[in-house]
């Protein structure tokens, strides 16, 4: 009789232990999705604020910031008038030339003025761009940007639009621009340090 009671106790103990382990495993399994969900940072999709049809294709503006910053370097004054983040569906010919059908882009509008009485070379069309998302673009796309003449006569002013294709504008809220300082000619050394802009594009 005592032997039967001892065996029954062992069976009950094993059963309760197994149930306890199953419950613990279930609780642990239930915690995993919650931990994963906490690590995922969701970003709301950007809304289209304007659609523009161009010869190059259809351009959708998603963010735009105006009247940003003006800086001087040597005799040159550079005004960043606008930064736009967007997406574009490129026309067939442009798409074939660039090898892309759909792109995301950062677009800059600049006004550049030579306040000197001398002729100056200033490579503002070679402005490089970095983003807070880790992308670097050394020069703007030559097909989708305005043509730029880097030779400035005395007191001459120019306006330009520069477009930089990027992998994505999602999460992009800051850009850094770098422009090589002016020089006397295209072959001579720069007369000043490079010009640096850090621009927030939260708008």
């Amino acid at each position: 009789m005592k032997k039967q009671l001892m065996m029954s106790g062992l069976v009950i103990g094993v059963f309760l232990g197994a149930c306890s382990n199953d419950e613990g495993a279930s609780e642990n399994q239930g915690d995993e999705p919650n931990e994963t969900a906490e690590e995922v940072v969701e970003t709301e999709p950007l809304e289209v604020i304007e659609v523009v049809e161009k010869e190059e294709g259809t351009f959708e503006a998603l963010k735009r910031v105006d009247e940003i910053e003006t800086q001087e370097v040597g005799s040159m004054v550079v005004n960043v008038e606008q930064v736009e983040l967007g997406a574009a569906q490129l026309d067939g010919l442009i798409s074939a030339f660039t090898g892309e059908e759909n792109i995301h882009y950062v677009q800059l509008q600049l006004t550049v003025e030579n306040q000197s009485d001398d002729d100056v070379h200033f490579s503002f069309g070679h402005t490089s761009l970095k983003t807070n998302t880790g992308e670097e673009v050394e020069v703007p796309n030559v097909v989708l940007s305005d043509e730029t003449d880097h030779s400035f006569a005395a007191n001459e002013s120019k306006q330009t639009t520069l477009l930089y294709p990027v992998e994505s504008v999602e999460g992009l809220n800051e850009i850094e621009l770098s422009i090589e300082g002016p020089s006397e000619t295209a072959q001579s050394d720069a007369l000043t340090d490079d010009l640096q802009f850090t621009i927030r594009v939260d708008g």
Side-chain angles (χ1 to χ4, degrees), residues 134-199:
E135 294 194 56
E136 298 185 20
V137 188
E138 290 298 323
V139 292
N141 185 283
V142 294
V143 177
L144 301 173
S145 302
D146 292 342
E147 293 185 12
T148 53
D149 182 357
H150 297 152
S151 298
F152 282 79
N155 302 303
E156 184 177 11
S157 178
K158 298 179 182 181
Q159 292 182 317
T160 191
T161 299
L162 307 176
L163 187 144
Y164 301 79
V166 294
E167 290 295 326
S168 176
V169 296
E170 296 291 341
L172 198 162
N173 53 42
E174 184 176 276
I175 62 174
E176 295 180 9
L177 308 178
S178 178
I179 311 175
E180 185 177 332
S183 56
E184 293 181 354
T185 68
Q187 289 75 35
S188 60
D189 294 334
L191 299 171
T192 69
D193 294 334
D194 293 354
L195 194 59
Q196 305 285 341
F197 288 87
T198 299
I199 300 170

Side-chain angles (χ1 to χ4, degrees), residues 4 15-16 34 37 50 58 63 81 88 167 175 184 187:
Q4 290 178 350
F15 177 78
L16 291 176
N34 293 333
E50 184 180 12
T58 302
K63 277 187 182 182
E81 296 181 345
E167 290 295 326
I175 62 174
E184 293 181 354
Q187 289 75 35

Side-chain angles (χ1 to χ4, degrees), residues 4-63:
Q4 290 178 350
L5 289 173
M6 290 177 63
M7 290 297 294
S8 298
L10 286 173
V11 170
I12 292 172
V14 170
F15 177 78
L16 291 176
C19 290
S20 176
N21 290 337
D22 289 342
E23 288 175 2
S26 298
E27 289 175 0
N28 290 337
Q29 290 174 359
D31 289 341
E32 289 179 1
N34 293 333
E35 291 175 0
T36 304
E38 291 175 359
E39 294 173 0
V40 175
V41 178
E42 295 184 0
T43 57
E44 294 183 3
L46 298 174
E47 296 183 0
V48 177
I49 59 177
E50 184 180 12
V51 178
V52 178
E53 298 289 344
K54 303 181 183 180
E55 292 183 2
E56 296 87 355
T58 302
F59 290 74
E60 297 179 341
L62 303 174
K63 277 187 182 182

Side-chain angles (χ1 to χ4, degrees), residues 54-147:
K54 303 181 183 180
E55 292 183 2
E56 296 87 355
T58 302
F59 290 74
E60 297 179 341
L62 303 174
K63 277 187 182 182
R64 185 179 287 156
V65 181
D66 296 312
E67 298 300 329
I68 298 161
E69 186 179 355
T70 298
Q71 290 190 30
E72 297 185 21
V73 56
S75 65
M76 306 305 299
V77 177
V78 180
N79 178 21
V80 182
E81 296 181 345
Q82 185 183 90
V83 174
E84 178 178 295
L85 309 184
Q89 182 177 352
L90 301 180
D91 176 77
L93 291 176
I94 300 299
S95 175
F97 190 87
T98 61
E100 300 286 348
E101 294 183 358
N102 298 282
I103 63 168
H104 280 196
Y105 64 85
V106 177
Q107 181 175 277
L108 309 177
Q109 289 186 11
L110 306 178
T111 297
V112 184
E113 181 183 3
N114 174 23
Q115 295 186 329
S116 170
D117 292 331
D118 300 319
D119 294 349
V120 174
H121 179 86
F122 186 56
S123 301
F124 65 99
H126 292 166
T127 302
S128 63
L129 176 144
K130 294 181 181 180
T131 72
N132 67 291
T133 54
E135 294 194 56
E136 298 185 20
V137 188
E138 290 298 323
V139 292
N141 185 283
V142 294
V143 177
L144 301 173
S145 302
D146 292 342
E147 293 185 12

